[in-house]
Amino acid sequence: MALHTWWLFVGAVFLLSGTPGPNMLHVMSRSVQMGLRRSVAAMAGCLAAVVLVLAASAAGLSTLLLAVPGAFAVLRYTGAAYLVYLGIRAWRAEATPLDVGAGELVARQSRAALFRGGFAIGISNPKLILFAAAFLPQFVDPAGPEPPQFLLLVVTFAVIEAGWYMAYALGGRSLARCLTRPAIRRAFERLTGTIFIGFGLALLRVRPA
C-alpha cells in the first residue's frame, strides 16, 4: 500500500468516525450516566463490534451477507428497532440528579453489561456493513498481498475510532457536571432519546446499492 493511500484513508476515517452517530452518542451518554472510567467498557463493546465487522469484510463475509436475499433487511429492521427501544427507554428514564462530587458516579450496570450494550449498538448498525463492504476495499492495492493491507486498514480504523470514543466520553464527563438538576437531566435524557429514535428511523431508509 502506498503511503499517500494510507494517509488518504486516515483522513477519511478521521472525519467519518468523528461524525456523531449511535456509537458516539452511546459512549457519551454512558460517560454522563456512569463516569469516564466505567464508560470504557461501553467503548470496548462498540469497538469490538466495529473491528468484527471490518474483519468480516476483509474475509468477504459482508459481501456474502449483502448477497443473501432478506439478510440485510433483517439486520436493518433489528438495528432500527433496537435504537428506537433505547430512545424510548431514555425518554422514560427517571430524572434524578447526578452526583458528581465524588468524581465517580454510582454504578448501575456491571462492566460486562456495559460491554454488551456497546457491542449491541455497534453490531446492529447496517451502515457499518455497507461501509466495510464498499469503502474499505477501495484502499487495497490488488497488485499486492491483500491480508497485510486489510490488517493495516482495520488497525488504523480501530485506533482512530477509539480516539474519538475517548473524546466523546471526556465531553460527556464534562457535561455531567451540568446535569445536577433534575429538570436539566430530564431534558438531556429526552434529547438523547429523540436522537436515538431519529437514528433508528433513519436506518429504515438505508439500502444496499
Side-chain angles (χ1 to χ4, degrees), residues 9-104:
F9 179 79
V10 168
V13 171
F14 183 83
L15 294 176
L16 289 170
S17 293
T19 303
N23 285 17
M24 300 302 173
L25 179 61
H26 181 71
V27 167
M28 188 179 72
S29 65
R30 283 293 178 261
S31 179
V32 167
Q33 295 164 355
M34 301 184 183
L36 178 61
R37 288 174 56 189
R38 296 188 65 82
S39 70
V40 171
M43 295 184 217
C46 291
L47 190 62
V50 169
V51 171
L52 179 62
V53 172
L54 294 178
S57 174
L61 298 181
S62 293
T63 303
L64 178 61
L65 175 62
L66 291 173
V68 175
F72 184 81
V74 170
L75 179 65
R76 180 161 56 91
Y77 286 121
T78 301
Y82 184 64
L83 290 175
V84 170
Y85 161 74
L86 290 178
I88 294 174
R89 191 173 68 175
W91 259 85
R92 299 179 62 184
E94 184 180 355
T96 56
L98 292 176
D99 179 11
V100 297
E104 179 65 32

Side-chain angles (χ1 to χ4, degrees), residues 77-150:
Y77 286 121
T78 301
Y82 184 64
L83 290 175
V84 170
Y85 161 74
L86 290 178
I88 294 174
R89 191 173 68 175
W91 259 85
R92 299 179 62 184
E94 184 180 355
T96 56
L98 292 176
D99 179 11
V100 297
E104 179 65 32
L105 304 183
V106 177
R108 289 180 290 176
Q109 293 186 39
S110 68
R111 284 183 169 80
L114 290 171
F115 178 90
R116 290 194 299 269
F119 186 85
I121 285 285
I123 205 68
S124 63
N125 187 357
K127 286 186 177 181
L128 178 59
I129 291 179
L130 289 178
F131 169 85
F135 183 75
L136 204 63
Q138 304 302 319
F139 294 88
V140 174
D141 183 0
E146 293 186 359
Q149 296 182 73
F150 272 113

